[in-house]
Amino acid sequence: MTPIFNSTSWMMRQVIYALALGVMAAYYFFGWGVLLQIVLGVVTAIAVESAFLALRGRDVISSISDGSVVLTAILLAISIPSIAPWWVIVVGVSFAIIFGKQLYGGLGNNPFNPAMLGYVFLLISYPLQMSTWQIDFLSLSQALDVVFDLSNIDVISGATKLDEVKNGLSLAGSIQQLDLHSPSQAWINAGFLLGGLYLLFRKVIFWQIPAAFLAGIVISSILLSVSNTDLYLPTQNHLMLGGTMLGAFFIATDPVSASTTPKGRIIYGFLIGVLIVIIRTFGGYPDGIAFAVLLMNMTVPLIDSFTQPKVFGR
Amino acid sequence: MADYSFNGGIVISNPYPVDKVEIIQAPLPKKVTIPLQQRIGERAKPCVSVGDYVLTGQVIASTKDSFGVFIHASVSGVVLSINEQVIPHKLGLKSQCITIESDGKDKWIDNSGCGIDFLHCSAQTMIDYIQKSGIVGLGGAGFPTHAKLGKIKQCHTLIINGTECEPGVMCDDALMQLHPREIIRGVEILLHICGAKRAIIAIEDDKQAAYQALLMFNHNDRISISQIPTKYTSGAEKLLIKALLGVEISSGGFAVDRGIACQNVATTKAVFDAVVDHKPLVSRIVTVTGSGVKPNNFEVRLGTSFKSLISMASPNQKAHDYRMGGMMMGVDVADIQAPICKITNAIFVNNHIHKPAIQECIRCGQCSEVCPVGLLPQQLYWHAKSENIEKAINYNLFDCIECACCDYVCPSHILLANYFSFAKALNKQQTREQDRINIARERFEFREYRLERNKLERVQMMADKKKALKEKMAKEQSQKQKIAKAMQRVQQAKDKKNDTNI
């Protein structure tokens, strides 16, 4: 007899496997920096979590082996620029684990998505390091040089397309004059989309959150671009730029901090999608996924209590 | 095929399948131990004494309680003792039992010509007869059959539950395959008792042999046989009614109030045996299964010990872990000297559903996906764990049927259903405690009031007495004065007379 799931760690591993395609796409375009950040993040996460579990007198091995902390580290590592200095990911992951998770009592008790909490902390504290993305593929030695600041090498770096929209729009005057073509982001998004579909297929995540998340983006971006096509980003760019697919399938679906009722998941996902478009369009930061997710994390208890499913016979 | 369904539930195939479903007649036990306490109702009172010789089927304990059932000797022999014995219970608790040593002859009470002509009996006569035959729900719940039948008013549909409550249990399947005629006749008897227009026998669609067998023997157009999809918890009464009729019995409500009667197939067979053959309930079919034995069904006399029944199922050397009931809702039995009871539908030996170490709940929501009642076990768990029972009740704790589907799918291996039964027990205890506190407070307040009242009364009484005394004294005084005055007048008159005489 095989239960539907083997364990929580099995679920976490499935999510990590599902991330592989998107990570491979990112590696293809940006090179070794991507993997370096992941390694740094995972090592830091395991060290910090172990230390804290030991301090709290918990069983270190069994908690580490559930894989949740590795997943948090990977999610944060692929969200930050791959040329960010090594201490950025170390500080970010440490913050995510300590303030996002352990201080609330560890796995299952955190009201916020730890990876996004770490991301926002970094974004606010180190805006420069967090907004410089490279353009080229980096070899391992190049990546080591950049990340550990070993020698002065030149990396062609720049802003992301979403940044360009934010800054370039005032100069260009209309969206149509901007070059929004970005194969790297489109491929990475496609990779995460496929990984997400795999998770749906394995029933590790439920369809409501990603579907509502994407619907929220589609509907609100259509409404905006209909109102003024020159000013607002078209829907397909919203879907294929930034971390949209990663957010829809891997971040908003974090079970611990997301809504848990079927109806609640729809509301939760939809509002995240809408908030992302609003933040991208009117907010001060280029991509709004982290803020949107954290804002909606706060509303989860309220959503859950208002969307209890119908109980048999009531 | 049933047209309706219910949400949730899980599909689990029989983890210990057999080639051919059969029923083995277990040899007569040397000794039977029969508990006097059935699942609900008052404990029956013994009507035999130690040393008495009893016949198989003889009443050995009776009851006047409306939920109680009569208890019969399951073998002929001598009553050895009437005392506390181990019963099947996870804590190995003891209960009052009658122990009979078998004489190996299995001599029955004379039942020739005792079968009642049910077509010419009133429903009440039949119901009383069923109570005297000691029949309870044999699906595992053990609710007294007569009590259920007695509650039905204006019954329109009788449902015969042949769905087999849990994966791995095969006793109802075997019964339907091997005794279809008796079951159909039993259904007719029950139809007569509850006055329903139609009966539906519900069978899961993986039990084709049982379905075909019943179909072949059913010549009554009031009885239909319906297949429902094989899904765990479809044996639960309310969910079965939903699946068959699309009727949702309200929370806290009963099927009988909606004119629907529900009986298990084994109960139906027992009714047939009692009414037609005049055989009270002295045996039942028990599935013995699990990785520690060779799975099979046994027809066994009530009161046979678990141990002797298990020894018939060729247990292997490693047999050590015993569970009564199904693998999902059953209870672990600590002591296998415990007897087979009317509710013992199955024994699992070395059931390998035991899960690895428990991890933290990550609120993945798989539990609420499978909950057939539509609860949110992850939220309930949160409140049950923190003993916030009021909150748990708001999340409909008492609608939980403890089917353990949530346990089965939980990736963190949390035994959720245990938490919920714990929370329910805690609530009952708290309610009792609160009641006790309320009663004590009321009593105290009344005492205070009584003392105060007595004090006031005493004061009033004293005042009244004083007043009365005063009045009396005043009256006496005035009388005295009157007398004195009269005396004075007399004296004066005397003096006057004397004066004149001088």
Side-chain angles (χ1 to χ4, degrees):
Chain A
M1 113 156 38
T2 335
I4 301 176
F5 301 112
N6 298 322
S7 60
T8 305
S9 44
W10 180 88
M11 286 178 84
M12 297 288 176
R13 278 203 305 279
Q14 295 302 308
V15 182
I16 293 171
Y17 299 156
L19 282 166
L21 274 180
V23 171
M24 270 154 62
Y27 166 79
Y28 178 80
F29 289 104
F30 302 127
W32 283 89
V34 177
L35 304 182
L36 204 54
Q37 298 289 352
I38 291 177
V39 171
L40 275 172
V42 169
V43 170
T44 312
I46 291 176
V48 171
E49 172 112 333
S50 305
F52 254 77
L53 287 169
L55 270 177
R56 291 175 59 216
R58 300 299 171 99
D59 181 13
V60 176
I61 301 297
S62 80
S63 296
I64 293 289
S65 61
D66 67 33
S68 63
V69 76
V70 174
L71 181 58
T72 300
I74 297 176
L75 287 176
L76 183 51
I78 56 183
S79 303
I80 68 170
S82 56
I83 50 168
W86 63 272
W87 49 265
V88 169
I89 183 73
V90 170
V91 168
V93 166
S94 305
F95 185 87
I97 304 292
I98 298 170
F99 291 89
K101 189 174 164 192
Q102 288 298 331
L103 289 190
Y104 289 109
L107 181 64
N109 297 309
N110 47 304
F112 295 105
N113 185 320
M116 290 304 101
L117 214 56
Y119 181 86
V120 164
F121 170 73
L122 292 176
L123 196 61
I124 294 171
S125 311
Y126 314 108
L128 179 67
Q129 285 82 355
M130 287 294 283
S131 56
T132 317
W133 296 75
Q134 96 248 39
I135 311 290
D136 291 335
F137 181 91
L138 293 189
S139 70
L140 178 58
S141 63
Q142 280 175 312
L144 283 168
D145 278 351
V146 176
V147 172
F148 290 100
D149 200 17
L150 298 175
S151 59
N152 247 341
I153 69 147
D154 261 342
V155 173
I156 307 170
S157 63
T160 64
K161 289 290 168 189
L162 285 171
D163 270 314
E164 278 178 33
V165 174
K166 190 130 277 176
N167 305 323
L169 201 55
S170 50
L171 303 172
S174 95
I175 287 279
Q176 286 76 17
Q177 283 165 292
L178 293 172
D179 171 26
L180 293 173
H181 182 64
S182 172
S184 61
Q185 298 227 345
W187 277 108
I188 293 170
N189 268 303
F192 288 130
L193 171 64
L194 282 175
L197 294 178
Y198 168 77
L199 289 183
L200 279 177
F201 170 70
R202 295 306 301 259
K203 295 191 175 149
V204 173
I205 59 172
F206 296 106
W207 62 271
Q208 288 101 333
I209 290 179
F213 179 112
L214 296 176
I217 288 186
V218 169
I219 291 172
S220 51
S221 62
I222 285 177
L223 286 179
L224 279 177
S225 58
V226 162
S227 72
N228 189 339
T229 39
D230 288 343
L231 222 53
Y232 303 120
L233 205 59
T235 302
Q236 69 268 24
N237 296 115
H238 268 298
L239 290 178
M240 281 300 159
L241 290 180
T244 305
M245 294 302 166
L246 182 68
F249 290 96
F250 294 90
I251 289 169
T253 53
D254 165 38
V256 177
S257 56
S259 174
T260 57
T261 63
K263 262 187 234 157
R265 288 189 202 116
I266 291 177
I267 298 170
Y268 174 81
F270 185 81
L271 290 180
I272 290 179
V274 172
L275 276 174
I276 287 170
V277 172
I278 291 174
I279 295 170
R280 278 179 182 176
T281 312
F282 306 105
Y285 290 96
D287 202 349
I289 292 176
F291 288 105
V293 168
L294 292 180
L295 279 171
M296 288 309 295
N297 282 166
M298 293 182 210
T299 68
V300 162
L302 187 71
I303 294 178
D304 278 0
S305 73
F306 279 106
T307 55
Q308 287 188 41
K310 186 195 136 348
V311 171
F312 188 90
R314 278 188 192 268
Chain B
M1 212 67 182
D3 303 328
Y4 310 94
S5 189
F6 55 90
N7 295 325
I10 40 181
V11 179
I12 316 173
S13 55
N14 186 349
Y16 311 107
V18 291
D19 298 334
K20 189 171 178 291
V21 175
E22 51 186 350
I23 300 173
I24 296 171
Q25 288 291 333
L28 270 191
K30 290 198 177 64
K31 196 178 86 175
V32 290
T33 308
I34 302 169
L36 296 176
Q37 176 69 61
Q38 296 298 313
R39 186 157 269 194
I40 61 165
E42 226 169 59
R43 179 195 287 173
K45 292 188 180 55
C47 46
V48 289
S49 359
V50 175
D52 284 3
Y53 182 79
V54 292
L55 296 167
T56 312
Q58 182 180 331
V59 174
I60 53 173
S62 62
T63 178
K64 289 195 171 70
D65 181 31
S66 60
F67 280 114
V69 289
F70 283 45
I71 290 167
H72 306 77
S74 57
V75 290
S76 61
V78 178
V79 177
L80 264 189
S81 63
I82 302 173
N83 58 4
E84 299 254 303
Q85 298 276 347
V86 173
I87 54 163
H89 191 278
K90 59 181 164 186
L91 301 176
L93 286 189
K94 292 186 168 185
S95 177
Q96 196 77 14
C97 296
I98 296 181
T99 307
I100 303 167
E101 187 175 36
S102 168
D103 61 359
K105 292 181 185 138
D106 196 26
K107 272 210 245 168
W108 276 77
I109 42 165
D110 182 19
N111 57 7
S112 57
C114 284
I116 58 173
D117 179 8
F118 73 87
L119 285 175
H120 297 100
C121 275
S122 73
Q124 195 50 49
T125 315
M126 300 287 292
I127 289 167
D128 292 344
Y129 185 74
I130 285 169
Q131 181 182 21
K132 293 207 169 86
S133 301
I135 299 172
V136 301
L138 296 176
F143 193 83
T145 303
H146 69 274
K148 213 175 194 179
L149 289 171
K151 272 182 82 177
I152 302 169
K153 285 175 192 76
Q154 290 172 340
C155 176
H156 54 79
T157 306
L158 169 68
I159 291 175
I160 304 299
N161 190 346
T163 55
E164 205 77 89
C165 53
E166 290 205 28
V169 182
M170 306 173 292
C171 54
D172 289 349
D173 189 9
L175 193 72
M176 291 186 288
Q177 287 189 33
L178 300 168
H179 297 281
R181 194 185 66 86
E182 289 91 330
I183 290 171
I184 298 286
R185 290 288 287 158
V187 177
E188 284 169 351
I189 295 168
L190 286 173
L191 268 176
H192 175 74
I193 296 173
C194 63
K197 284 192 282 295
R198 59 166 177 166
I200 305 170
I201 304 176
I203 304 181
E204 285 179 312
D205 56 8
D206 64 342
K207 296 173 182 57
Q208 281 305 321
Y211 176 67
Q212 294 301 339
L214 284 171
L215 214 54
M216 213 163 78
F217 280 92
N218 180 24
H219 305 300
N220 189 330
D221 52 10
R222 284 163 72 197
I223 303 173
S224 59
I225 300 161
S226 184
Q227 285 188 297
I228 59 168
T230 306
K231 184 161 84 164
Y232 170 60
T233 67
S234 55
E237 186 173 295
K238 286 183 180 181
L239 299 173
L240 181 63
I241 290 170
K242 176 83 197 294
L244 282 175
L245 307 175
V247 173
E248 198 166 308
I249 308 295
S250 64
S251 168
F254 297 99
V256 289
D257 302 333
R258 300 283 297 267
I260 301 165
C262 214
Q263 296 290 349
N264 175 268
V265 280
T267 317
T268 312
K269 162 82 162 47
V271 167
F272 169 85
D273 289 343
V275 172
V276 177
D277 292 344
H278 190 59
K279 278 186 176 172
L281 188 64
V282 295
S283 66
R284 71 155 297 146
I285 299 170
V286 181
T287 302
V288 185
T289 186
S291 67
V293 290
K294 190 168 169 287
N296 227 324
N297 298 300
F298 295 88
E299 174 147 24
V300 52
R301 293 296 164 92
L302 297 173
T304 308
S305 73
F306 272 49
K307 196 177 173 193
S308 58
L309 177 58
I310 290 163
S311 70
M312 288 171 221
S314 29
N316 56 33
Q317 294 299 312
K318 292 184 206 114
H320 58 86
D321 175 35
Y322 309 94
R323 191 175 174 86
M324 182 177 91
M327 57 188 199
M328 305 292 285
M329 294 178 76
V331 291
D332 292 328
V333 173
D335 189 342
I336 54 167
Q337 293 301 338
I340 308 285
C341 304
K342 291 176 182 176
I343 55 168
T344 313
N345 57 349
I347 301 170
F348 278 73
V349 182
N350 291 8
N351 176 34
H352 285 310
I353 198 179
H354 290 297
K355 289 174 159 186
I358 291 165
Q359 290 169 294
E360 297 285 340
C361 169
I362 55 166
R363 300 203 279 157
C364 64
Q366 301 293 344
C367 48
S368 53
E369 273 315 282
V370 298
C371 180
V373 189
L375 298 174
L376 296 170
Q378 71 275 34
Q379 310 277 41
L380 266 177
Y381 165 69
W382 192 268
H383 298 308
K385 196 178 161 193
S386 54
E387 297 187 17
N388 191 348
I389 306 300
E390 215 169 291
K391 263 276 170 61
I393 291 171
N394 284 345
Y395 275 93
N396 305 309
L397 171 69
F398 281 96
D399 284 293
C400 171
I401 57 171
E402 294 175 39
C403 64
C405 283
C406 47
D407 287 11
Y408 187 77
V409 297
C410 178
S412 295
H413 315 305
I414 299 166
L415 299 174
L416 292 153
N418 279 6
Y419 275 94
F420 306 150
S421 62
F422 161 74
K424 285 181 191 171
L426 195 67
N427 176 257
K428 283 216 180 85
Q429 192 197 332
Q430 282 173 354
T431 316
R432 259 204 308 271
E433 195 87 341
Q434 197 55 49
D435 286 350
R436 237 191 48 209
I437 291 169
N438 286 345
I439 289 169
R441 203 191 56 230
E442 273 167 28
R443 227 188 253 149
F444 173 76
E445 281 170 359
F446 183 70
R447 181 170 174 271
E448 291 283 285
Y449 160 76
R450 183 167 49 88
L451 291 178
E452 186 67 16
R453 190 189 62 193
N454 289 355
K455 206 165 124 194
L456 283 175
E457 274 173 4
R458 230 182 358 255
V459 169
Q460 188 65 40
M461 217 161 68
M462 294 285 278
D464 286 354
K465 258 188 187 161
K466 237 180 193 168
K467 206 174 152 195
L469 204 71
K470 240 184 202 165
E471 272 170 16
K472 202 176 155 196
M473 272 165 73
K475 216 173 166 185
E476 273 172 15
Q477 199 70 36
S478 69
Q479 218 134 38
K480 263 185 196 163
Q481 275 172 1
K482 268 185 197 163
I483 293 168
K485 270 182 189 163
M487 292 287 280
Q488 220 173 359
R489 274 200 308 272
V490 173
Q491 194 61 42
Q492 278 171 357
K494 260 189 191 167
D495 289 349
K496 224 177 187 176
K497 212 176 172 182
N498 284 350
D499 284 350
T500 47
N501 286 348
I502 292 163

